[in-house]
Amino acid sequence: MTDRPLKLVLNGTPRTFEEVPDAERLLDTIRWRAGLKGTKEGCRTGDCGACTVLVNGDPSLSCLTLAREVDGDAVTTVEGVTRETVGRAVVKAFEENGAVQCGYCTPGFVVALSGLLAGRSPPPSTEALLDGLEGNLCRCTGYAAIQRAVAAAREAVR
Amino acid sequence: MFTLAYPSTPEEAVDRLARAAPGETAVLGGGTDLLLDVESGRTTPTELLSLRKLPWRYLRWERQSLVVGSTLPLRALEVDPKVRTQLPGLWEAIVDVGSPALRSRATLGGNIGRCSPVSDLLPILLALDAQVRIVGPNGRREVPVDAILQESRRTTLGSADLVEAVVVPAAAPCTYLWQRVQPVNDISQVGVATAYAPTPPHWRIAVGGIQPRARRLVEAEGLLRSARPSDFEAELAAQEAARRSTFVTDRRATESYRRRLVSVLVRRAIQRTLARVPPVAGGPSSSP
Ligand SMILES: Cc1cc2nc3c(=O)[nH]c(=O)nc-3n(C[C@H](O)[C@H](O)[C@H](O)COP(=O)(O)OP(=O)(O)OC[C@H]3O[C@@H](n4cnc5c(N)ncnc54)[C@H](O)[C@@H]3O)c2cc1C
Ligand code: FES
Ligand code: FES
C-alpha cells in the first residue's frame, strides 16, 4: 500500500485521506470515506453512469477510477455541483419536468449535464447535450421527461 | 489485491517491468479494461504499474502526422477540432467508444494493449496505417499497428514494452462505420474503416468484429484501383471483404449476419470516404 495520504480537492475543499488501499475505487472513497452518498453505484462496470463525478471538470466514471489515480485532482460530486448556479438550475429543471422517479440515476445525470453546461456560453445545443448524456441510464422515466429537463436546463442557463 | 507503482520516467517503468516475474505486474492505462479483468479474477497481478506520471498525455501535429501520447484520454482527441476535420474517421471511431465519462479515462494505449477483436479503434488505426512508438528494454522503436495485434488480450509487445505514442502518418479522408444492437455502451457486431490516399494504392480497408483480430483486407483493397471507384467497384470490393473475413456466431450476431454487415458497411464506407475527398481543381473529378 502507498503510505502517502490521498489528497483530493473534493467539492472545492482540499481533503486528505489516510490509509487508502491502492485498489480502492474513487466511488468508494467518495461514498464511504467522505460520506458523500449522492454519488451512486449502479453497475460498477462502466455501463450506467450513476457514479459520474467531475474530475478536473470532466465527467468521469468513479467506479472505473482508482482513487490514487486522481491524487491531487479536483473531484466534484453532485453535492458540490448543486452548490453552483448551473447545478441548481439543472436540479430545478429535473424537478419541474418530472425527470425524477426513483432518483437513483439522477445524480449522475445532474453531474454530467452540469459538467457539460458549466462555463460554456453559449451553451452547447440540446442535441449535443443529449449526446453527452448517452452513457447515463434511467430505468424509470423513459427518457422523455429527461429530454425536456435537459432543454429546460439549457434555456435556464443561457 | 494489488498495489500501485508510480514510475516517473519511461526508463524506470520499463526497468520495473523487466525485473517483474511473469504475470506479477500489469500496466495500467485508463483502467477501463484492466480493472474489470482484475475484478473478475481473469488476471491476478500483485502490482499495477500506473503510467499516470509519464509525460505521455499529449496530442501534437508533427508536420503532416498526428502524434498521440498513449495515455491521453480519448475525450481529449474527441474535442480537438483539428482531429475531427483532418481525420473524420478517427473521430467517428472515438466518439462511439462507450460514453463520454468512459472516454475521460480510456486511452489509445490501452485499446491497443487490450487488442480486442471488437475494438472500435483498431480498424481505423489499421486503415490509416498508424505506427506505434514503443519503449522497451532495448530502447525505442516504431512498428506498424498491424505488427502488434495478435488476438484478444494478446499482442507482440514484450512484457517490458510500453506503447509510448501512436502516430497517424497523414491527414486523410477516412470513415468508420459500425453496427450494434444498442448505439451506446454496447460492443460493435462489426466495424469497418476505410481511408484514402492521394497516391496509389489509393484505398485501405480494415474490419473489426472478425476473428482473431481486426485486420486490413488487402484482397478487397486490390479491387479498388482507381482514385474514384464506381459504385459497382465499391460493391465488388465490399463483397470481397465479406468473403475474406472470418466471422463467428455469438450472442450479438450470427456469422451470416456479420458477413452481410461487412459487405454493406464496406460499400458505404468507401462511398462516404469518397465524398470526403476534395475535388481536384480543374480535373474531371471536380464535377459534383
Ligand atoms: C462500459 C464500457 C464500454 C466500452 N465501450 C467500448 C467501445 O465502444 N469500443 C471500444 O473499442 N472499446 C470499448 N471499451 C473498452 C475500453 O474502454 C477500451 O479498450 C479502452 O481504449 C481501453 O483503454 P484503457 O486506457 O482504459 O486501458 P487499460 O484498461 O488501462 O489497459 C488495457 C490493456 O492494455 C494494457 N496497456 C494499457 N496502456 C498501455 C501502454 N501504454 N502500453 C502497453 N500496454 C498498455 C494494459 O496492461 C491492459 O492489458 C469499453 C469498456 C467499458 C467498460
Ligand atoms: S456504477 Fe459506474 S457506470 Fe455504473
Ligand atoms: S429515475 Fe429511477 S433510474 Fe432514473
Side-chain angles (χ1 to χ4, degrees):
Chain A
M1 186 162 80
T2 312
D3 295 333
R4 272 179 307 106
L6 170 75
K7 292 187 174 165
L8 299 177
V9 180
L10 189 56
N11 294 330
T13 309
R15 295 281 305 269
T16 303
F17 299 96
E18 306 287 342
E19 293 179 23
V20 177
D22 286 0
E24 184 165 303
R25 308 293 170 97
L26 178 60
L27 172 65
D28 299 321
T29 310
I30 290 168
R31 284 181 58 86
W32 305 109
R33 285 184 203 275
L36 297 172
K37 302 287 177 64
T39 307
K40 302 296 185 226
E41 175 178 325
C43 62
R44 218 177 166 80
T45 51
D47 293 294
C48 76
C51 67
T52 306
V53 298
L54 303 180
V55 175
N56 300 329
D58 290 328
S60 294
L61 300 177
S62 63
C63 73
L64 285 186
T65 303
L66 295 177
R68 298 243 171 227
E69 285 285 286
V70 296
D71 190 21
D73 288 350
V75 174
T76 309
T77 66
V78 68
E79 290 87 350
V81 159
T82 51
R83 267 192 240 140
E84 308 291 327
T85 322
V86 168
R88 275 204 296 272
V90 168
V91 168
K92 188 157 173 277
F94 269 65
E95 284 169 0
E96 290 177 355
N97 287 278
V100 183
Q101 287 186 25
C102 80
Y104 202 80
C105 68
T106 314
F109 274 99
V110 168
V111 169
L113 181 57
S114 303
L116 294 166
L117 287 170
R120 298 280 302 275
S121 179
S125 66
T126 303
E127 202 193 352
L129 294 172
L130 292 173
D131 279 352
L133 296 174
E134 63 186 8
N136 293 81
L137 301 188
C138 175
R139 298 300 298 269
C140 303
T141 62
Y143 298 105
I146 292 178
Q147 293 187 0
R148 284 196 297 275
V150 169
R154 179 177 182 277
E155 279 307 309
V157 303
R158 61 185 290 160
Chain B
M1 264 301 132
F2 56 82
T3 56
L4 278 163
Y6 283 96
S8 49
T9 64
E11 291 68 28
E12 190 188 331
V14 167
D15 191 54
R16 199 170 176 111
L17 287 170
R19 284 188 284 107
E24 190 179 85
T25 298
V27 174
L28 176 69
T32 63
D33 278 318
L34 184 64
L35 292 179
L36 296 179
D37 277 358
V38 170
E39 187 104 338
S40 71
R42 179 187 275 276
T43 174
T44 52
T46 53
E47 179 179 84
L48 301 194
L49 184 112
S50 168
L51 306 180
R52 173 169 147 86
K53 300 243 158 96
L54 304 187
W56 291 348
R57 278 170 83 106
Y58 60 82
L59 178 165
R60 58 179 180 243
W61 292 83
E62 289 176 5
R63 274 178 250 106
Q64 293 289 42
S65 309
L66 169 69
V67 188
V68 183
S70 64
T71 60
L72 185 78
L74 298 179
R75 184 84 180 147
L77 274 159
E78 162 188 0
V79 299
D80 184 89
K82 203 168 166 197
V83 169
R84 186 172 185 170
T85 54
Q86 300 295 298
L87 292 160
L90 179 62
W91 186 83
E92 286 166 338
I94 284 169
V95 290
D96 285 316
V97 171
S99 62
L102 180 93
R103 297 195 291 277
S104 303
R105 301 224 56 82
T107 69
L108 219 45
N111 203 277
I112 292 171
R114 169 65 178 80
C115 193
S116 168
V118 290
S119 157
D120 289 289
L121 303 180
L122 298 177
I124 192 72
L125 292 179
L126 287 165
L128 290 167
D129 205 14
Q131 306 291 306
V132 181
R133 287 187 184 157
I134 299 166
V135 51
N138 299 318
R140 287 182 156 78
R141 63 189 196 277
E142 193 168 306
V143 299
V145 66
D146 191 49
I148 291 181
L149 310 179
Q150 281 192 307
E151 59 180 44
S152 186
R153 296 186 175 79
R154 251 192 60 207
T155 64
T156 59
L157 293 171
S159 61
D161 281 341
L162 289 169
V163 175
E164 174 170 354
V166 177
V167 183
V168 179
C174 54
T175 302
Y176 180 68
L177 297 174
W178 47 260
Q179 181 80 1
R180 298 176 182 170
V181 177
Q182 307 174 103
V184 176
N185 270 349
D186 195 8
I187 291 170
S188 299
Q189 293 160 323
V190 299
V192 166
T194 54
Y196 169 88
T199 51
H202 297 288
W203 290 91
R204 282 196 292 265
I205 304 172
V207 177
I210 60 174
Q211 291 295 322
R213 42 158 285 198
R215 74 169 178 98
R216 287 262 302 276
L217 292 167
V218 283
E219 305 88 349
E221 291 170 5
L223 297 177
L224 297 173
R225 291 214 185 77
S226 70
R228 303 193 76 87
S230 65
D231 288 353
F232 179 65
E233 287 170 311
E235 178 64 28
L236 287 183
Q239 285 179 18
E240 183 67 7
R243 198 161 36 240
R244 294 286 182 160
S245 304
T246 311
F247 302 95
V248 288
T249 292
D250 61 19
R251 67 193 171 88
R252 288 200 170 75
T254 60
E255 183 184 341
S256 61
Y257 183 61
R258 283 198 164 91
R259 193 174 301 279
R260 175 87 186 117
L261 281 175
V262 163
S263 73
V264 172
L265 296 184
V266 167
R267 176 172 49 76
R268 283 189 199 157
I270 293 167
Q271 289 164 340
R272 189 187 286 203
T273 301
L274 205 46
R276 289 173 172 169
V277 176
V280 182
S285 49
S286 65
S287 56

PDB file of all heavy atoms in Angstrom, chain B residues 241-267:
ATOM      1  N   ALA B 241     -14.413  -8.239 -49.353  1.00  0.00           N
ATOM      2  CA  ALA B 241     -14.094  -8.062 -47.935  1.00  0.00           C
ATOM      3  C   ALA B 241     -14.882  -9.059 -47.088  1.00  0.00           C
ATOM      4  O   ALA B 241     -14.334  -9.696 -46.177  1.00  0.00           O
ATOM      5  CB  ALA B 241     -14.401  -6.628 -47.498  1.00  0.00           C
ATOM      6  N   ALA B 242     -16.169  -9.189 -47.405  1.00  0.00           N
ATOM      7  CA  ALA B 242     -17.010 -10.118 -46.643  1.00  0.00           C
ATOM      8  C   ALA B 242     -16.545 -11.554 -46.836  1.00  0.00           C
ATOM      9  O   ALA B 242     -16.519 -12.353 -45.902  1.00  0.00           O
ATOM     10  CB  ALA B 242     -18.464  -9.963 -47.065  1.00  0.00           C
ATOM     11  N   ARG B 243     -16.143 -11.879 -48.064  1.00  0.00           N
ATOM     12  CA  ARG B 243     -15.712 -13.241 -48.374  1.00  0.00           C
ATOM     13  C   ARG B 243     -14.414 -13.579 -47.652  1.00  0.00           C
ATOM     14  O   ARG B 243     -14.192 -14.701 -47.236  1.00  0.00           O
ATOM     15  CB  ARG B 243     -15.542 -13.367 -49.888  1.00  0.00           C
ATOM     16  CG  ARG B 243     -15.531 -14.783 -50.377  1.00  0.00           C
ATOM     17  CD  ARG B 243     -15.811 -14.923 -51.863  1.00  0.00           C
ATOM     18  NE  ARG B 243     -15.266 -13.869 -52.707  1.00  0.00           N
ATOM     19  CZ  ARG B 243     -16.007 -13.083 -53.485  1.00  0.00           C
ATOM     20  NH1 ARG B 243     -17.313 -13.223 -53.529  1.00  0.00           N
ATOM     21  NH2 ARG B 243     -15.436 -12.164 -54.229  1.00  0.00           N
ATOM     22  N   ARG B 244     -13.539 -12.592 -47.492  1.00  0.00           N
ATOM     23  CA  ARG B 244     -12.205 -12.845 -46.942  1.00  0.00           C
ATOM     24  C   ARG B 244     -12.149 -12.792 -45.414  1.00  0.00           C
ATOM     25  O   ARG B 244     -11.095 -12.984 -44.832  1.00  0.00           O
ATOM     26  CB  ARG B 244     -11.220 -11.808 -47.490  1.00  0.00           C
ATOM     27  CG  ARG B 244     -10.987 -11.915 -48.979  1.00  0.00           C
ATOM     28  CD  ARG B 244     -10.133 -13.111 -49.290  1.00  0.00           C
ATOM     29  NE  ARG B 244      -9.871 -13.187 -50.720  1.00  0.00           N
ATOM     30  CZ  ARG B 244      -8.873 -13.872 -51.243  1.00  0.00           C
ATOM     31  NH1 ARG B 244      -8.054 -14.540 -50.463  1.00  0.00           N
ATOM     32  NH2 ARG B 244      -8.709 -13.908 -52.549  1.00  0.00           N
ATOM     33  N   SER B 245     -13.234 -12.444 -44.769  1.00  0.00           N
ATOM     34  CA  SER B 245     -13.203 -12.292 -43.316  1.00  0.00           C
ATOM     35  C   SER B 245     -13.685 -13.561 -42.625  1.00  0.00           C
ATOM     36  O   SER B 245     -14.498 -14.297 -43.167  1.00  0.00           O
ATOM     37  CB  SER B 245     -14.090 -11.129 -42.885  1.00  0.00           C
ATOM     38  OG  SER B 245     -13.704  -9.953 -43.544  1.00  0.00           O
ATOM     39  N   THR B 246     -13.177 -13.790 -41.417  1.00  0.00           N
ATOM     40  CA  THR B 246     -13.597 -14.944 -40.621  1.00  0.00           C
ATOM     41  C   THR B 246     -14.519 -14.445 -39.510  1.00  0.00           C
ATOM     42  O   THR B 246     -14.094 -13.677 -38.643  1.00  0.00           O
ATOM     43  CB  THR B 246     -12.376 -15.631 -39.982  1.00  0.00           C
ATOM     44  OG1 THR B 246     -11.404 -15.836 -40.996  1.00  0.00           O
ATOM     45  CG2 THR B 246     -12.765 -16.947 -39.347  1.00  0.00           C
ATOM     46  N   PHE B 247     -15.763 -14.871 -39.546  1.00  0.00           N
ATOM     47  CA  PHE B 247     -16.737 -14.400 -38.567  1.00  0.00           C
ATOM     48  C   PHE B 247     -17.093 -15.513 -37.600  1.00  0.00           C
ATOM     49  O   PHE B 247     -16.918 -16.690 -37.894  1.00  0.00           O
ATOM     50  CB  PHE B 247     -18.017 -13.944 -39.284  1.00  0.00           C
ATOM     51  CG  PHE B 247     -17.784 -12.853 -40.288  1.00  0.00           C
ATOM     52  CD1 PHE B 247     -17.599 -13.157 -41.636  1.00  0.00           C
ATOM     53  CD2 PHE B 247     -17.715 -11.537 -39.887  1.00  0.00           C
ATOM     54  CE1 PHE B 247     -17.396 -12.155 -42.560  1.00  0.00           C
ATOM     55  CE2 PHE B 247     -17.499 -10.524 -40.804  1.00  0.00           C
ATOM     56  CZ  PHE B 247     -17.334 -10.832 -42.149  1.00  0.00           C
ATOM     57  N   VAL B 248     -17.614 -15.116 -36.456  1.00  0.00           N
ATOM     58  CA  VAL B 248     -18.145 -16.106 -35.516  1.00  0.00           C
ATOM     59  C   VAL B 248     -19.597 -15.760 -35.212  1.00  0.00           C
ATOM     60  O   VAL B 248     -20.043 -14.634 -35.419  1.00  0.00           O
ATOM     61  CB  VAL B 248     -17.367 -16.131 -34.181  1.00  0.00           C
ATOM     62  CG1 VAL B 248     -15.997 -16.738 -34.367  1.00  0.00           C
ATOM     63  CG2 VAL B 248     -17.293 -14.749 -33.558  1.00  0.00           C
ATOM     64  N   THR B 249     -20.302 -16.752 -34.696  1.00  0.00           N
ATOM     65  CA  THR B 249     -21.651 -16.533 -34.183  1.00  0.00           C
ATOM     66  C   THR B 249     -21.535 -16.404 -32.676  1.00  0.00           C
ATOM     67  O   THR B 249     -20.898 -17.231 -32.032  1.00  0.00           O
ATOM     68  CB  THR B 249     -22.561 -17.728 -34.550  1.00  0.00           C
ATOM     69  OG1 THR B 249     -22.750 -17.730 -35.971  1.00  0.00           O
ATOM     70  CG2 THR B 249     -23.914 -17.617 -33.857  1.00  0.00           C
ATOM     71  N   ASP B 250     -22.081 -15.343 -32.123  1.00  0.00           N
ATOM     72  CA  ASP B 250     -22.141 -15.232 -30.663  1.00  0.00           C
ATOM     73  C   ASP B 250     -23.456 -14.570 -30.307  1.00  0.00           C
ATOM     74  O   ASP B 250     -24.322 -14.411 -31.178  1.00  0.00           O
ATOM     75  CB  ASP B 250     -20.915 -14.488 -30.095  1.00  0.00           C
ATOM     76  CG  ASP B 250     -20.812 -13.063 -30.625  1.00  0.00           C
ATOM     77  OD1 ASP B 250     -21.821 -12.521 -31.108  1.00  0.00           O
ATOM     78  OD2 ASP B 250     -19.705 -12.486 -30.541  1.00  0.00           O
ATOM     79  N   ARG B 251     -23.615 -14.158 -29.038  1.00  0.00           N
ATOM     80  CA  ARG B 251     -24.940 -13.646 -28.667  1.00  0.00           C
ATOM     81  C   ARG B 251     -25.261 -12.306 -29.299  1.00  0.00           C
ATOM     82  O   ARG B 251     -26.400 -11.865 -29.275  1.00  0.00           O
ATOM     83  CB  ARG B 251     -25.079 -13.594 -27.145  1.00  0.00           C
ATOM     84  CG  ARG B 251     -24.190 -12.585 -26.475  1.00  0.00           C
ATOM     85  CD  ARG B 251     -24.165 -12.837 -24.975  1.00  0.00           C
ATOM     86  NE  ARG B 251     -23.155 -12.017 -24.335  1.00  0.00           N
ATOM     87  CZ  ARG B 251     -23.375 -10.789 -23.890  1.00  0.00           C
ATOM     88  NH1 ARG B 251     -24.555 -10.234 -24.025  1.00  0.00           N
ATOM     89  NH2 ARG B 251     -22.407 -10.108 -23.309  1.00  0.00           N
ATOM     90  N   ARG B 252     -24.269 -11.636 -29.887  1.00  0.00           N
ATOM     91  CA  ARG B 252     -24.545 -10.342 -30.508  1.00  0.00           C
ATOM     92  C   ARG B 252     -24.966 -10.450 -31.970  1.00  0.00           C
ATOM     93  O   ARG B 252     -25.659  -9.576 -32.467  1.00  0.00           O
ATOM     94  CB  ARG B 252     -23.328  -9.422 -30.410  1.00  0.00           C
ATOM     95  CG  ARG B 252     -23.122  -8.945 -29.007  1.00  0.00           C
ATOM     96  CD  ARG B 252     -22.276  -7.707 -28.920  1.00  0.00           C
ATOM     97  NE  ARG B 252     -22.341  -7.222 -27.557  1.00  0.00           N
ATOM     98  CZ  ARG B 252     -21.701  -7.782 -26.543  1.00  0.00           C
ATOM     99  NH1 ARG B 252     -20.931  -8.830 -26.737  1.00  0.00           N
ATOM    100  NH2 ARG B 252     -21.827  -7.302 -25.323  1.00  0.00           N
ATOM    101  N   ALA B 253     -24.488 -11.473 -32.666  1.00  0.00           N
ATOM    102  CA  ALA B 253     -24.849 -11.606 -34.077  1.00  0.00           C
ATOM    103  C   ALA B 253     -24.437 -12.986 -34.579  1.00  0.00           C
ATOM    104  O   ALA B 253     -23.518 -13.594 -34.035  1.00  0.00           O
ATOM    105  CB  ALA B 253     -24.141 -10.529 -34.913  1.00  0.00           C
ATOM    106  N   THR B 254     -25.134 -13.435 -35.639  1.00  0.00           N
ATOM    107  CA  THR B 254     -24.717 -14.688 -36.260  1.00  0.00           C
ATOM    108  C   THR B 254     -23.603 -14.403 -37.258  1.00  0.00           C
ATOM    109  O   THR B 254     -23.391 -13.260 -37.674  1.00  0.00           O
ATOM    110  CB  THR B 254     -25.867 -15.347 -37.036  1.00  0.00           C
ATOM    111  OG1 THR B 254     -26.292 -14.429 -38.049  1.00  0.00           O
ATOM    112  CG2 THR B 254     -27.037 -15.694 -36.121  1.00  0.00           C
ATOM    113  N   GLU B 255     -22.937 -15.482 -37.634  1.00  0.00           N
ATOM    114  CA  GLU B 255     -21.865 -15.377 -38.617  1.00  0.00           C
ATOM    115  C   GLU B 255     -22.393 -14.768 -39.923  1.00  0.00           C
ATOM    116  O   GLU B 255     -21.780 -13.861 -40.491  1.00  0.00           O
ATOM    117  CB  GLU B 255     -21.314 -16.785 -38.846  1.00  0.00           C
ATOM    118  CG  GLU B 255     -20.153 -16.831 -39.777  1.00  0.00           C
ATOM    119  CD  GLU B 255     -19.682 -18.255 -40.052  1.00  0.00           C
ATOM    120  OE1 GLU B 255     -20.015 -19.166 -39.251  1.00  0.00           O
ATOM    121  OE2 GLU B 255     -19.002 -18.443 -41.066  1.00  0.00           O
ATOM    122  N   SER B 256     -23.550 -15.261 -40.389  1.00  0.00           N
ATOM    123  CA  SER B 256     -24.029 -14.786 -41.691  1.00  0.00           C
ATOM    124  C   SER B 256     -24.471 -13.313 -41.615  1.00  0.00           C
ATOM    125  O   SER B 256     -24.295 -12.563 -42.571  1.00  0.00           O
ATOM    126  CB  SER B 256     -25.155 -15.669 -42.225  1.00  0.00           C
ATOM    127  OG  SER B 256     -26.238 -15.648 -41.343  1.00  0.00           O
ATOM    128  N   TYR B 257     -25.010 -12.911 -40.465  1.00  0.00           N
ATOM    129  CA  TYR B 257     -25.397 -11.501 -40.324  1.00  0.00           C
ATOM    130  C   TYR B 257     -24.153 -10.616 -40.353  1.00  0.00           C
ATOM    131  O   TYR B 257     -24.127  -9.568 -41.007  1.00  0.00           O
ATOM    132  CB  TYR B 257     -26.192 -11.296 -39.032  1.00  0.00           C
ATOM    133  CG  TYR B 257     -26.697  -9.874 -38.854  1.00  0.00           C
ATOM    134  CD1 TYR B 257     -27.569  -9.299 -39.772  1.00  0.00           C
ATOM    135  CD2 TYR B 257     -26.296  -9.117 -37.757  1.00  0.00           C
ATOM    136  CE1 TYR B 257     -28.030  -8.003 -39.606  1.00  0.00           C
ATOM    137  CE2 TYR B 257     -26.756  -7.808 -37.581  1.00  0.00           C
ATOM    138  CZ  TYR B 257     -27.618  -7.259 -38.511  1.00  0.00           C
ATOM    139  OH  TYR B 257     -28.066  -5.975 -38.346  1.00  0.00           O
ATOM    140  N   ARG B 258     -23.115 -11.046 -39.657  1.00  0.00           N
ATOM    141  CA  ARG B 258     -21.882 -10.243 -39.664  1.00  0.00           C
ATOM    142  C   ARG B 258     -21.324 -10.125 -41.087  1.00  0.00           C
ATOM    143  O   ARG B 258     -20.855  -9.061 -41.498  1.00  0.00           O
ATOM    144  CB  ARG B 258     -20.822 -10.877 -38.756  1.00  0.00           C
ATOM    145  CG  ARG B 258     -21.062 -10.647 -37.279  1.00  0.00           C
ATOM    146  CD  ARG B 258     -19.790 -10.893 -36.469  1.00  0.00           C
ATOM    147  NE  ARG B 258     -19.897 -10.329 -35.141  1.00  0.00           N
ATOM    148  CZ  ARG B 258     -20.355 -10.980 -34.069  1.00  0.00           C
ATOM    149  NH1 ARG B 258     -20.728 -12.243 -34.169  1.00  0.00           N
ATOM    150  NH2 ARG B 258     -20.436 -10.386 -32.899  1.00  0.00           N
ATOM    151  N   ARG B 259     -21.376 -11.220 -41.812  1.00  0.00           N
ATOM    152  CA  ARG B 259     -20.831 -11.198 -43.179  1.00  0.00           C
ATOM    153  C   ARG B 259     -21.618 -10.207 -44.036  1.00  0.00           C
ATOM    154  O   ARG B 259     -21.055  -9.393 -44.769  1.00  0.00           O
ATOM    155  CB  ARG B 259     -20.900 -12.611 -43.777  1.00  0.00           C
ATOM    156  CG  ARG B 259     -20.097 -12.794 -45.048  1.00  0.00           C
ATOM    157  CD  ARG B 259     -20.085 -14.245 -45.530  1.00  0.00           C
ATOM    158  NE  ARG B 259     -19.531 -15.181 -44.564  1.00  0.00           N
ATOM    159  CZ  ARG B 259     -18.229 -15.387 -44.368  1.00  0.00           C
ATOM    160  NH1 ARG B 259     -17.342 -14.724 -45.075  1.00  0.00           N
ATOM    161  NH2 ARG B 259     -17.808 -16.246 -43.467  1.00  0.00           N
ATOM    162  N   ARG B 260     -22.910 -10.246 -43.891  1.00  0.00           N
ATOM    163  CA  ARG B 260     -23.768  -9.326 -44.640  1.00  0.00           C
ATOM    164  C   ARG B 260     -23.456  -7.877 -44.242  1.00  0.00           C
ATOM    165  O   ARG B 260     -23.352  -6.988 -45.086  1.00  0.00           O
ATOM    166  CB  ARG B 260     -25.229  -9.688 -44.344  1.00  0.00           C
ATOM    167  CG  ARG B 260     -26.240  -8.758 -44.944  1.00  0.00           C
ATOM    168  CD  ARG B 260     -26.605  -9.156 -46.369  1.00  0.00           C
ATOM    169  NE  ARG B 260     -27.470  -8.140 -46.956  1.00  0.00           N
ATOM    170  CZ  ARG B 260     -27.152  -7.406 -48.014  1.00  0.00           C
ATOM    171  NH1 ARG B 260     -26.013  -7.580 -48.631  1.00  0.00           N
ATOM    172  NH2 ARG B 260     -27.995  -6.512 -48.481  1.00  0.00           N
ATOM    173  N   LEU B 261     -23.305  -7.662 -42.920  1.00  0.00           N
ATOM    174  CA  LEU B 261     -22.997  -6.310 -42.443  1.00  0.00           C
ATOM    175  C   LEU B 261     -21.715  -5.783 -43.059  1.00  0.00           C
ATOM    176  O   LEU B 261     -21.640  -4.625 -43.471  1.00  0.00           O
ATOM    177  CB  LEU B 261     -22.816  -6.311 -40.922  1.00  0.00           C
ATOM    178  CG  LEU B 261     -24.064  -6.319 -40.052  1.00  0.00           C
ATOM    179  CD1 LEU B 261     -23.645  -6.435 -38.587  1.00  0.00           C
ATOM    180  CD2 LEU B 261     -24.876  -5.050 -40.273  1.00  0.00           C
ATOM    181  N   VAL B 262     -20.707  -6.643 -43.102  1.00  0.00           N
ATOM    182  CA  VAL B 262     -19.422  -6.178 -43.633  1.00  0.00           C
ATOM    183  C   VAL B 262     -19.588  -5.748 -45.083  1.00  0.00           C
ATOM    184  O   VAL B 262     -19.089  -4.699 -45.490  1.00  0.00           O
ATOM    185  CB  VAL B 262     -18.320  -7.243 -43.470  1.00  0.00           C
ATOM    186  CG1 VAL B 262     -17.129  -6.944 -44.369  1.00  0.00           C
ATOM    187  CG2 VAL B 262     -17.877  -7.281 -42.013  1.00  0.00           C
ATOM    188  N   SER B 263     -20.334  -6.523 -45.867  1.00  0.00           N
ATOM    189  CA  SER B 263     -20.433  -6.136 -47.273  1.00  0.00           C
ATOM    190  C   SER B 263     -21.200  -4.814 -47.416  1.00  0.00           C
ATOM    191  O   SER B 263     -20.839  -3.972 -48.237  1.00  0.00           O
ATOM    192  CB  SER B 263     -21.047  -7.257 -48.123  1.00  0.00           C
ATOM    193  OG  SER B 263     -22.413  -7.375 -47.869  1.00  0.00           O
ATOM    194  N   VAL B 264     -22.207  -4.605 -46.579  1.00  0.00           N
ATOM    195  CA  VAL B 264     -22.955  -3.341 -46.668  1.00  0.00           C
ATOM    196  C   VAL B 264     -22.096  -2.166 -46.174  1.00  0.00           C
ATOM    197  O   VAL B 264     -22.016  -1.117 -46.823  1.00  0.00           O
ATOM    198  CB  VAL B 264     -24.267  -3.433 -45.856  1.00  0.00           C
ATOM    199  CG1 VAL B 264     -24.947  -2.070 -45.770  1.00  0.00           C
ATOM    200  CG2 VAL B 264     -25.204  -4.465 -46.478  1.00  0.00           C
ATOM    201  N   LEU B 265     -21.458  -2.376 -45.030  1.00  0.00           N
ATOM    202  CA  LEU B 265     -20.723  -1.254 -44.435  1.00  0.00           C
ATOM    203  C   LEU B 265     -19.464  -0.892 -45.221  1.00  0.00           C
ATOM    204  O   LEU B 265     -19.090   0.282 -45.280  1.00  0.00           O
ATOM    205  CB  LEU B 265     -20.369  -1.555 -42.968  1.00  0.00           C
ATOM    206  CG  LEU B 265     -21.562  -1.704 -42.010  1.00  0.00           C
ATOM    207  CD1 LEU B 265     -21.074  -1.906 -40.584  1.00  0.00           C
ATOM    208  CD2 LEU B 265     -22.500  -0.510 -42.077  1.00  0.00           C
ATOM    209  N   VAL B 266     -18.809  -1.864 -45.829  1.00  0.00           N
ATOM    210  CA  VAL B 266     -17.618  -1.534 -46.617  1.00  0.00           C
ATOM    211  C   VAL B 266     -18.017  -0.653 -47.799  1.00  0.00           C
ATOM    212  O   VAL B 266     -17.381   0.358 -48.082  1.00  0.00           O
ATOM    213  CB  VAL B 266     -16.866  -2.803 -47.098  1.00  0.00           C
ATOM    214  CG1 VAL B 266     -15.833  -2.456 -48.173  1.00  0.00           C
ATOM    215  CG2 VAL B 266     -16.177  -3.499 -45.921  1.00  0.00           C
ATOM    216  N   ARG B 267     -19.108  -1.038 -48.460  1.00  0.00           N
ATOM    217  CA  ARG B 267     -19.543  -0.221 -49.602  1.00  0.00           C
ATOM    218  C   ARG B 267     -19.875   1.203 -49.143  1.00  0.00           C
ATOM    219  O   ARG B 267     -19.412   2.183 -49.719  1.00  0.00           O
ATOM    220  CB  ARG B 267     -20.768  -0.859 -50.275  1.00  0.00           C
ATOM    221  CG  ARG B 267     -21.326  -0.009 -51.407  1.00  0.00           C
ATOM    222  CD  ARG B 267     -22.427  -0.715 -52.206  1.00  0.00           C
ATOM    223  NE  ARG B 267     -23.460  -1.321 -51.374  1.00  0.00           N
ATOM    224  CZ  ARG B 267     -24.437  -0.626 -50.741  1.00  0.00           C
ATOM    225  NH1 ARG B 267     -24.498   0.682 -50.858  1.00  0.00           N
ATOM    226  NH2 ARG B 267     -25.337  -1.267 -50.016  1.00  0.00           N
TER     227      ARG B 267
END
